[in-house]
Amino acid sequence: MTQNRFKSWALWLAVASLVVFCVKEFLKVDISETVNGLLNVLLPVLVAFGIVNNPTSANTL
């Protein structure tokens, strides 16, 4: 079952989103206000999607 989780694109998307969000917040990366607002909404949603995703079922997300 663990191998299925590591093959899941949603897991890797969530991990990448979490890394980008942490880098943006803790290192105070300077980006435009519009992009910053978009990332503040989009990145936590992608992380949550990766958490609730079920990689053991090919038919459902």
Side-chain angles (χ1 to χ4, degrees):
M1 182 157 134
T2 304
Q3 289 179 335
N4 286 342
R5 293 192 190 277
F6 289 132
K7 291 179 183 177
S8 172
W9 59 269
L11 171 77
W12 293 112
L13 179 66
V15 169
S17 299
L18 181 62
V19 168
V20 170
F21 186 74
C22 288
V23 166
K24 183 181 81 59
E25 290 298 317
F26 295 125
L27 297 180
K28 303 294 183 191
V29 176
D30 188 24
I31 51 178
S32 73
E33 194 64 33
T34 305
V35 174
N36 193 28
L38 179 65
L39 290 179
N40 282 340
V41 173
L42 183 63
L43 292 175
V45 169
L46 290 174
V47 171
F49 174 71
I51 291 171
V52 299
N53 183 22
N54 182 10
T56 59
S57 175
N59 297 333
T60 61
L61 293 174

Short mmCIF file of all heavy atoms in Angstrom, two decimals:
data_model
loop_
_atom_site.label_atom_id
_atom_site.label_comp_id
_atom_site.label_asym_id
_atom_site.label_seq_id
_atom_site.Cartn_x
_atom_site.Cartn_y
_atom_site.Cartn_z
N MET A 1 0.82 -1.20 0.00
CA MET A 1 0.00 0.00 0.00
C MET A 1 0.86 1.26 0.00
O MET A 1 0.52 2.25 -0.61
CB MET A 1 -0.92 -0.02 1.21
CG MET A 1 -1.83 1.17 1.24
SD MET A 1 -3.26 0.85 2.21
CE MET A 1 -3.35 2.31 3.16
N THR A 2 2.00 1.22 0.67
CA THR A 2 2.87 2.38 0.71
C THR A 2 3.41 2.72 -0.67
O THR A 2 3.53 3.90 -1.02
CB THR A 2 4.04 2.13 1.68
OG1 THR A 2 3.50 1.79 2.95
CG2 THR A 2 4.91 3.35 1.82
N GLN A 3 3.69 1.70 -1.48
CA GLN A 3 4.18 1.96 -2.83
C GLN A 3 3.15 2.70 -3.66
O GLN A 3 3.51 3.56 -4.46
CB GLN A 3 4.56 0.65 -3.50
CG GLN A 3 5.81 0.04 -2.92
CD GLN A 3 6.15 -1.28 -3.59
OE1 GLN A 3 5.28 -1.95 -4.11
NE2 GLN A 3 7.41 -1.64 -3.56
N ASN A 4 1.87 2.39 -3.50
CA ASN A 4 0.83 3.10 -4.23
C ASN A 4 0.81 4.57 -3.84
O ASN A 4 0.58 5.44 -4.68
CB ASN A 4 -0.54 2.48 -3.97
CG ASN A 4 -0.71 1.16 -4.69
OD1 ASN A 4 0.03 0.87 -5.63
ND2 ASN A 4 -1.64 0.37 -4.23
N ARG A 5 1.02 4.84 -2.59
CA ARG A 5 1.00 6.24 -2.13
C ARG A 5 2.17 7.02 -2.73
O ARG A 5 2.02 8.18 -3.08
CB ARG A 5 1.03 6.32 -0.63
CG ARG A 5 -0.22 5.77 0.00
CD ARG A 5 -0.31 6.11 1.46
NE ARG A 5 -1.39 5.40 2.09
CZ ARG A 5 -2.65 5.81 2.08
NH1 ARG A 5 -2.97 6.89 1.45
NH2 ARG A 5 -3.58 5.11 2.70
N PHE A 6 3.33 6.40 -2.83
CA PHE A 6 4.49 7.10 -3.39
C PHE A 6 4.39 7.28 -4.89
O PHE A 6 5.07 8.12 -5.46
CB PHE A 6 5.78 6.39 -3.02
CG PHE A 6 6.14 6.53 -1.57
CD1 PHE A 6 6.50 5.42 -0.83
CD2 PHE A 6 6.11 7.76 -0.94
CE1 PHE A 6 6.83 5.55 0.51
CE2 PHE A 6 6.43 7.89 0.39
CZ PHE A 6 6.80 6.78 1.12
N LYS A 7 3.55 6.52 -5.56
CA LYS A 7 3.34 6.66 -7.00
C LYS A 7 2.24 7.66 -7.33
O LYS A 7 2.01 7.97 -8.49
CB LYS A 7 2.97 5.31 -7.62
CG LYS A 7 4.10 4.32 -7.62
CD LYS A 7 3.66 3.01 -8.22
CE LYS A 7 4.76 1.98 -8.17
NZ LYS A 7 4.31 0.68 -8.69
N SER A 8 1.57 8.16 -6.32
CA SER A 8 0.44 9.06 -6.51
C SER A 8 0.90 10.46 -6.89
O SER A 8 1.71 11.07 -6.19
CB SER A 8 -0.39 9.12 -5.23
OG SER A 8 -1.37 10.10 -5.31
N TRP A 9 0.37 10.99 -7.98
CA TRP A 9 0.72 12.35 -8.40
C TRP A 9 0.16 13.37 -7.41
O TRP A 9 0.74 14.42 -7.20
CB TRP A 9 0.21 12.64 -9.81
CG TRP A 9 -1.28 12.50 -9.95
CD1 TRP A 9 -1.98 11.39 -10.30
CD2 TRP A 9 -2.25 13.52 -9.72
NE1 TRP A 9 -3.32 11.66 -10.29
CE2 TRP A 9 -3.52 12.96 -9.95
CE3 TRP A 9 -2.17 14.87 -9.34
CZ2 TRP A 9 -4.70 13.68 -9.80
CZ3 TRP A 9 -3.35 15.58 -9.21
CH2 TRP A 9 -4.59 14.99 -9.44
N ALA A 10 -0.96 13.05 -6.78
CA ALA A 10 -1.56 13.99 -5.82
C ALA A 10 -0.69 14.13 -4.58
O ALA A 10 -0.59 15.22 -4.01
CB ALA A 10 -2.95 13.51 -5.44
N LEU A 11 -0.05 13.05 -4.16
CA LEU A 11 0.85 13.13 -3.01
C LEU A 11 2.02 14.06 -3.32
O LEU A 11 2.35 14.94 -2.52
CB LEU A 11 1.38 11.75 -2.63
CG LEU A 11 2.50 11.76 -1.60
CD1 LEU A 11 1.92 12.01 -0.21
CD2 LEU A 11 3.30 10.51 -1.66
N TRP A 12 2.63 13.89 -4.47
CA TRP A 12 3.79 14.71 -4.82
C TRP A 12 3.39 16.16 -5.08
O TRP A 12 4.16 17.08 -4.78
CB TRP A 12 4.53 14.11 -6.00
CG TRP A 12 5.15 12.80 -5.61
CD1 TRP A 12 4.80 11.56 -6.05
CD2 TRP A 12 6.18 12.60 -4.65
NE1 TRP A 12 5.56 10.61 -5.43
CE2 TRP A 12 6.43 11.21 -4.56
CE3 TRP A 12 6.94 13.45 -3.85
CZ2 TRP A 12 7.37 10.67 -3.70
CZ3 TRP A 12 7.89 12.90 -2.99
CH2 TRP A 12 8.10 11.54 -2.93
N LEU A 13 2.20 16.38 -5.59
CA LEU A 13 1.70 17.74 -5.76
C LEU A 13 1.50 18.40 -4.40
O LEU A 13 1.87 19.56 -4.20
CB LEU A 13 0.38 17.72 -6.54
CG LEU A 13 -0.29 19.06 -6.77
CD1 LEU A 13 0.56 19.92 -7.69
CD2 LEU A 13 -1.67 18.85 -7.37
N ALA A 14 0.97 17.65 -3.44
CA ALA A 14 0.78 18.19 -2.10
C ALA A 14 2.10 18.48 -1.41
O ALA A 14 2.25 19.52 -0.75
CB ALA A 14 -0.04 17.21 -1.26
N VAL A 15 3.07 17.59 -1.56
CA VAL A 15 4.39 17.81 -0.95
C VAL A 15 5.06 19.03 -1.56
O VAL A 15 5.62 19.88 -0.85
CB VAL A 15 5.27 16.55 -1.10
CG1 VAL A 15 6.71 16.84 -0.71
CG2 VAL A 15 4.71 15.41 -0.27
N ALA A 16 5.01 19.15 -2.87
CA ALA A 16 5.61 20.30 -3.55
C ALA A 16 4.92 21.60 -3.13
O ALA A 16 5.58 22.62 -2.89
CB ALA A 16 5.55 20.12 -5.06
N SER A 17 3.60 21.56 -3.02
CA SER A 17 2.85 22.74 -2.60
C SER A 17 3.21 23.15 -1.18
O SER A 17 3.35 24.33 -0.87
CB SER A 17 1.35 22.48 -2.68
OG SER A 17 0.98 22.19 -4.00
N LEU A 18 3.37 22.16 -0.31
CA LEU A 18 3.74 22.44 1.08
C LEU A 18 5.14 23.06 1.15
O LEU A 18 5.36 24.02 1.89
CB LEU A 18 3.68 21.17 1.91
CG LEU A 18 4.01 21.32 3.39
CD1 LEU A 18 3.01 22.25 4.06
CD2 LEU A 18 4.00 19.96 4.06
N VAL A 19 6.06 22.54 0.36
CA VAL A 19 7.42 23.08 0.35
C VAL A 19 7.42 24.52 -0.15
O VAL A 19 8.04 25.41 0.45
CB VAL A 19 8.36 22.20 -0.51
CG1 VAL A 19 9.68 22.89 -0.78
CG2 VAL A 19 8.57 20.85 0.16
N VAL A 20 6.71 24.78 -1.24
CA VAL A 20 6.65 26.15 -1.79
C VAL A 20 6.00 27.09 -0.79
O VAL A 20 6.47 28.21 -0.57
CB VAL A 20 5.89 26.16 -3.13
CG1 VAL A 20 5.60 27.57 -3.59
CG2 VAL A 20 6.69 25.41 -4.19
N PHE A 21 4.93 26.64 -0.14
CA PHE A 21 4.23 27.48 0.84
C PHE A 21 5.15 27.80 2.03
O PHE A 21 5.21 28.96 2.46
CB PHE A 21 2.96 26.79 1.32
CG PHE A 21 2.12 27.63 2.22
CD1 PHE A 21 1.37 28.68 1.72
CD2 PHE A 21 2.06 27.37 3.58
CE1 PHE A 21 0.60 29.46 2.55
CE2 PHE A 21 1.29 28.14 4.41
CZ PHE A 21 0.55 29.20 3.90
N CYS A 22 5.87 26.81 2.53
CA CYS A 22 6.77 27.04 3.66
C CYS A 22 7.92 27.96 3.29
O CYS A 22 8.29 28.85 4.06
CB CYS A 22 7.29 25.71 4.19
SG CYS A 22 6.04 24.75 5.05
N VAL A 23 8.49 27.76 2.11
CA VAL A 23 9.57 28.64 1.66
C VAL A 23 9.08 30.07 1.52
O VAL A 23 9.73 31.01 1.96
CB VAL A 23 10.17 28.12 0.33
CG1 VAL A 23 11.04 29.18 -0.33
CG2 VAL A 23 10.95 26.84 0.55
N LYS A 24 7.90 30.23 0.94
CA LYS A 24 7.33 31.56 0.75
C LYS A 24 7.06 32.25 2.10
O LYS A 24 7.35 33.43 2.27
CB LYS A 24 6.03 31.46 -0.05
CG LYS A 24 5.40 32.79 -0.38
CD LYS A 24 4.13 32.62 -1.15
CE LYS A 24 2.94 32.29 -0.32
NZ LYS A 24 2.59 33.25 0.71
N GLU A 25 6.55 31.51 3.06
CA GLU A 25 6.19 32.11 4.34
C GLU A 25 7.39 32.34 5.25
O GLU A 25 7.50 33.39 5.87
CB GLU A 25 5.17 31.23 5.07
CG GLU A 25 3.80 31.23 4.43
CD GLU A 25 3.15 32.60 4.41
OE1 GLU A 25 3.21 33.31 5.44
OE2 GLU A 25 2.57 32.95 3.37
N PHE A 26 8.28 31.36 5.35
CA PHE A 26 9.36 31.46 6.32
C PHE A 26 10.57 32.23 5.81
O PHE A 26 11.28 32.86 6.58
CB PHE A 26 9.79 30.08 6.80
CG PHE A 26 8.70 29.38 7.56
CD1 PHE A 26 8.28 28.12 7.17
CD2 PHE A 26 8.09 29.97 8.65
CE1 PHE A 26 7.27 27.46 7.86
CE2 PHE A 26 7.09 29.33 9.34
CZ PHE A 26 6.67 28.07 8.95
N LEU A 27 10.81 32.20 4.51
CA LEU A 27 11.95 32.94 3.96
C LEU A 27 11.55 34.32 3.44
O LEU A 27 12.39 35.05 2.95
CB LEU A 27 12.61 32.13 2.84
CG LEU A 27 13.23 30.80 3.27
CD1 LEU A 27 13.87 30.11 2.08
CD2 LEU A 27 14.23 31.00 4.38
N LYS A 28 10.25 34.61 3.53
CA LYS A 28 9.72 35.92 3.12
C LYS A 28 10.14 36.28 1.70
O LYS A 28 10.72 37.33 1.44
CB LYS A 28 10.17 37.02 4.08
CG LYS A 28 9.78 36.78 5.51
CD LYS A 28 8.30 36.83 5.71
CE LYS A 28 7.98 36.65 7.18
NZ LYS A 28 6.60 36.43 7.44
N VAL A 29 9.86 35.37 0.76
CA VAL A 29 10.18 35.60 -0.64
C VAL A 29 9.36 36.78 -1.14
O VAL A 29 8.14 36.84 -0.92
CB VAL A 29 9.90 34.33 -1.47
CG1 VAL A 29 10.14 34.58 -2.93
CG2 VAL A 29 10.74 33.18 -0.97
N ASP A 30 9.99 37.72 -1.80
CA ASP A 30 9.33 38.94 -2.26
C ASP A 30 8.78 38.71 -3.67
O ASP A 30 9.53 38.58 -4.63
CB ASP A 30 10.32 40.10 -2.27
CG ASP A 30 9.64 41.42 -2.57
OD1 ASP A 30 8.43 41.53 -2.32
OD2 ASP A 30 10.33 42.34 -3.04
N ILE A 31 7.45 38.64 -3.76
CA ILE A 31 6.77 38.50 -5.05
C ILE A 31 5.65 39.53 -5.10
O ILE A 31 5.34 40.17 -4.10
CB ILE A 31 6.22 37.07 -5.24
CG1 ILE A 31 5.38 36.64 -4.05
CG2 ILE A 31 7.33 36.09 -5.48
CD1 ILE A 31 4.77 35.28 -4.17
N SER A 32 5.06 39.67 -6.25
CA SER A 32 4.01 40.67 -6.39
C SER A 32 2.82 40.34 -5.50
O SER A 32 2.59 39.19 -5.13
CB SER A 32 3.57 40.78 -7.85
OG SER A 32 2.81 39.65 -8.22
N GLU A 33 2.06 41.33 -5.16
CA GLU A 33 0.92 41.18 -4.26
C GLU A 33 -0.15 40.27 -4.85
O GLU A 33 -0.78 39.48 -4.14
CB GLU A 33 0.33 42.56 -3.94
CG GLU A 33 -0.61 42.56 -2.77
CD GLU A 33 0.07 42.18 -1.46
OE1 GLU A 33 1.25 42.51 -1.27
OE2 GLU A 33 -0.59 41.53 -0.63
N THR A 34 -0.37 40.34 -6.16
CA THR A 34 -1.37 39.49 -6.81
C THR A 34 -0.98 38.02 -6.74
O THR A 34 -1.80 37.17 -6.39
CB THR A 34 -1.53 39.91 -8.28
OG1 THR A 34 -1.85 41.31 -8.34
CG2 THR A 34 -2.62 39.12 -8.96
N VAL A 35 0.26 37.72 -7.07
CA VAL A 35 0.74 36.34 -7.03
C VAL A 35 0.76 35.84 -5.60
O VAL A 35 0.40 34.69 -5.32
CB VAL A 35 2.14 36.23 -7.68
CG1 VAL A 35 2.71 34.85 -7.52
CG2 VAL A 35 2.08 36.61 -9.13
N ASN A 36 1.14 36.68 -4.66
CA ASN A 36 1.17 36.29 -3.26
C ASN A 36 -0.23 35.93 -2.77
O ASN A 36 -0.41 34.95 -2.07
CB ASN A 36 1.76 37.43 -2.42
CG ASN A 36 2.09 36.98 -1.03
OD1 ASN A 36 2.37 35.82 -0.79
ND2 ASN A 36 2.05 37.92 -0.10
N GLY A 37 -1.23 36.71 -3.14
CA GLY A 37 -2.60 36.41 -2.76
C GLY A 37 -3.09 35.12 -3.36
O GLY A 37 -3.77 34.32 -2.70
N LEU A 38 -2.75 34.88 -4.61
CA LEU A 38 -3.14 33.64 -5.28
C LEU A 38 -2.49 32.43 -4.62
O LEU A 38 -3.14 31.42 -4.38
CB LEU A 38 -2.77 33.70 -6.76
CG LEU A 38 -3.09 32.46 -7.58
CD1 LEU A 38 -4.58 32.24 -7.65
CD2 LEU A 38 -2.50 32.57 -8.96
N LEU A 39 -1.21 32.54 -4.31
CA LEU A 39 -0.51 31.43 -3.67
C LEU A 39 -1.02 31.17 -2.26
O LEU A 39 -1.05 30.02 -1.81
CB LEU A 39 1.00 31.70 -3.64
CG LEU A 39 1.71 31.66 -4.99
CD1 LEU A 39 3.18 31.97 -4.81
CD2 LEU A 39 1.52 30.33 -5.68
N ASN A 40 -1.43 32.22 -1.55
CA ASN A 40 -1.98 32.04 -0.21
C ASN A 40 -3.28 31.24 -0.22
O ASN A 40 -3.63 30.61 0.77
CB ASN A 40 -2.22 33.38 0.47
CG ASN A 40 -0.94 33.98 0.99
OD1 ASN A 40 0.05 33.29 1.19
ND2 ASN A 40 -0.95 35.29 1.19
N VAL A 41 -4.00 31.27 -1.31
CA VAL A 41 -5.24 30.51 -1.43
C VAL A 41 -4.99 29.14 -2.06
O VAL A 41 -5.49 28.12 -1.58
CB VAL A 41 -6.27 31.30 -2.27
CG1 VAL A 41 -7.50 30.48 -2.54
CG2 VAL A 41 -6.64 32.59 -1.57
N LEU A 42 -4.22 29.09 -3.12
CA LEU A 42 -4.05 27.88 -3.91
C LEU A 42 -3.20 26.81 -3.23
O LEU A 42 -3.57 25.63 -3.23
CB LEU A 42 -3.44 28.24 -5.27
CG LEU A 42 -3.27 27.09 -6.25
CD1 LEU A 42 -4.63 26.51 -6.62
CD2 LEU A 42 -2.54 27.56 -7.49
N LEU A 43 -2.10 27.20 -2.63
CA LEU A 43 -1.19 26.20 -2.06
C LEU A 43 -1.82 25.40 -0.91
O LEU A 43 -1.70 24.17 -0.89
CB LEU A 43 0.12 26.86 -1.63
CG LEU A 43 0.97 27.37 -2.80
CD1 LEU A 43 2.18 28.12 -2.27
CD2 LEU A 43 1.39 26.24 -3.71
N PRO A 44 -2.50 26.02 0.05
CA PRO A 44 -3.15 25.21 1.10
C PRO A 44 -4.25 24.29 0.55
O PRO A 44 -4.44 23.19 1.06
CB PRO A 44 -3.73 26.24 2.06
CG PRO A 44 -2.90 27.44 1.86
CD PRO A 44 -2.54 27.44 0.40
N VAL A 45 -4.93 24.72 -0.49
CA VAL A 45 -5.96 23.87 -1.10
C VAL A 45 -5.31 22.64 -1.72
O VAL A 45 -5.82 21.52 -1.59
CB VAL A 45 -6.78 24.66 -2.14
CG1 VAL A 45 -7.66 23.75 -2.97
CG2 VAL A 45 -7.61 25.72 -1.45
N LEU A 46 -4.19 22.81 -2.40
CA LEU A 46 -3.48 21.68 -2.99
C LEU A 46 -2.95 20.72 -1.93
O LEU A 46 -2.99 19.50 -2.10
CB LEU A 46 -2.35 22.17 -3.89
CG LEU A 46 -2.78 22.86 -5.18
CD1 LEU A 46 -1.56 23.42 -5.90
CD2 LEU A 46 -3.56 21.93 -6.06
N VAL A 47 -2.47 21.26 -0.83
CA VAL A 47 -2.00 20.41 0.27
C VAL A 47 -3.17 19.60 0.84
O VAL A 47 -3.06 18.40 1.07
CB VAL A 47 -1.31 21.25 1.37
CG1 VAL A 47 -1.03 20.41 2.60
CG2 VAL A 47 -0.04 21.86 0.83
N ALA A 48 -4.29 20.25 1.06
CA ALA A 48 -5.47 19.56 1.58
C ALA A 48 -5.95 18.49 0.61
O ALA A 48 -6.35 17.40 1.03
CB ALA A 48 -6.59 20.55 1.86
N PHE A 49 -5.90 18.77 -0.68
CA PHE A 49 -6.29 17.78 -1.69
C PHE A 49 -5.41 16.55 -1.60
O PHE A 49 -5.88 15.42 -1.70
CB PHE A 49 -6.22 18.39 -3.09
CG PHE A 49 -6.46 17.39 -4.19
CD1 PHE A 49 -7.73 16.87 -4.40
CD2 PHE A 49 -5.42 16.95 -4.98
CE1 PHE A 49 -7.96 15.94 -5.41
CE2 PHE A 49 -5.64 16.02 -5.98
CZ PHE A 49 -6.91 15.52 -6.19
N GLY A 50 -4.13 16.73 -1.40
CA GLY A 50 -3.22 15.61 -1.27
C GLY A 50 -3.46 14.80 -0.02
O GLY A 50 -3.26 13.59 0.01
N ILE A 51 -3.94 15.44 1.04
CA ILE A 51 -4.22 14.74 2.28
C ILE A 51 -5.47 13.88 2.16
O ILE A 51 -5.50 12.75 2.62
CB ILE A 51 -4.35 15.74 3.44
CG1 ILE A 51 -2.99 16.37 3.73
CG2 ILE A 51 -4.93 15.07 4.69
CD1 ILE A 51 -3.04 17.52 4.70
N VAL A 52 -6.51 14.39 1.52
CA VAL A 52 -7.77 13.65 1.44
C VAL A 52 -7.81 12.70 0.26
O VAL A 52 -8.75 11.92 0.14
CB VAL A 52 -8.99 14.60 1.38
CG1 VAL A 52 -9.06 15.45 2.62
CG2 VAL A 52 -8.96 15.46 0.14
N ASN A 53 -6.82 12.72 -0.59
CA ASN A 53 -6.79 11.85 -1.76
C ASN A 53 -6.57 10.40 -1.36
O ASN A 53 -5.85 10.10 -0.42
CB ASN A 53 -5.68 12.29 -2.71
CG ASN A 53 -5.66 11.48 -3.97
OD1 ASN A 53 -6.64 10.89 -4.35
ND2 ASN A 53 -4.52 11.45 -4.61
N ASN A 54 -7.20 9.48 -2.09
CA ASN A 54 -7.04 8.05 -1.86
C ASN A 54 -6.30 7.44 -3.04
O ASN A 54 -6.92 7.13 -4.07
CB ASN A 54 -8.40 7.38 -1.68
CG ASN A 54 -8.27 5.91 -1.38
OD1 ASN A 54 -7.18 5.41 -1.13
ND2 ASN A 54 -9.39 5.21 -1.40
N PRO A 55 -4.99 7.22 -2.93
CA PRO A 55 -4.23 6.69 -4.08
C PRO A 55 -4.43 5.20 -4.33
O PRO A 55 -3.96 4.68 -5.32
CB PRO A 55 -2.78 6.97 -3.68
CG PRO A 55 -2.80 6.98 -2.22
CD PRO A 55 -4.14 7.53 -1.81
N THR A 56 -5.13 4.51 -3.44
CA THR A 56 -5.34 3.08 -3.63
C THR A 56 -6.49 2.77 -4.57
O THR A 56 -6.64 1.63 -5.02
CB THR A 56 -5.58 2.38 -2.28
OG1 THR A 56 -6.74 2.96 -1.67
CG2 THR A 56 -4.37 2.53 -1.37
N SER A 57 -7.29 3.77 -4.90
CA SER A 57 -8.41 3.58 -5.81
C SER A 57 -8.14 4.32 -7.11
O SER A 57 -7.98 5.54 -7.11
CB SER A 57 -9.71 4.10 -5.18
OG SER A 57 -10.77 4.00 -6.10
N ALA A 58 -8.12 3.60 -8.21
CA ALA A 58 -7.82 4.22 -9.51
C ALA A 58 -9.03 4.96 -10.07
O ALA A 58 -8.88 5.82 -10.94
CB ALA A 58 -7.36 3.16 -10.50
N ASN A 59 -10.21 4.65 -9.59
CA ASN A 59 -11.43 5.24 -10.15
C ASN A 59 -11.81 6.57 -9.52
O ASN A 59 -12.54 7.35 -10.11
CB ASN A 59 -12.61 4.28 -9.99
CG ASN A 59 -12.36 2.99 -10.77
OD1 ASN A 59 -11.65 2.98 -11.76
ND2 ASN A 59 -12.96 1.92 -10.31
N THR A 60 -11.36 6.82 -8.32
CA THR A 60 -11.74 8.04 -7.62
C THR A 60 -10.53 8.85 -7.24
O THR A 60 -9.41 8.34 -7.22
CB THR A 60 -12.53 7.70 -6.33
OG1 THR A 60 -11.69 6.93 -5.48
CG2 THR A 60 -13.79 6.92 -6.65
N LEU A 61 -10.76 10.11 -6.93
CA LEU A 61 -9.69 10.96 -6.43
C LEU A 61 -9.63 10.76 -4.96
O LEU A 61 -8.85 10.87 -4.23
CB LEU A 61 -9.94 12.43 -6.77
CG LEU A 61 -9.89 12.77 -8.25
CD1 LEU A 61 -10.32 14.20 -8.45
CD2 LEU A 61 -8.51 12.57 -8.79
#
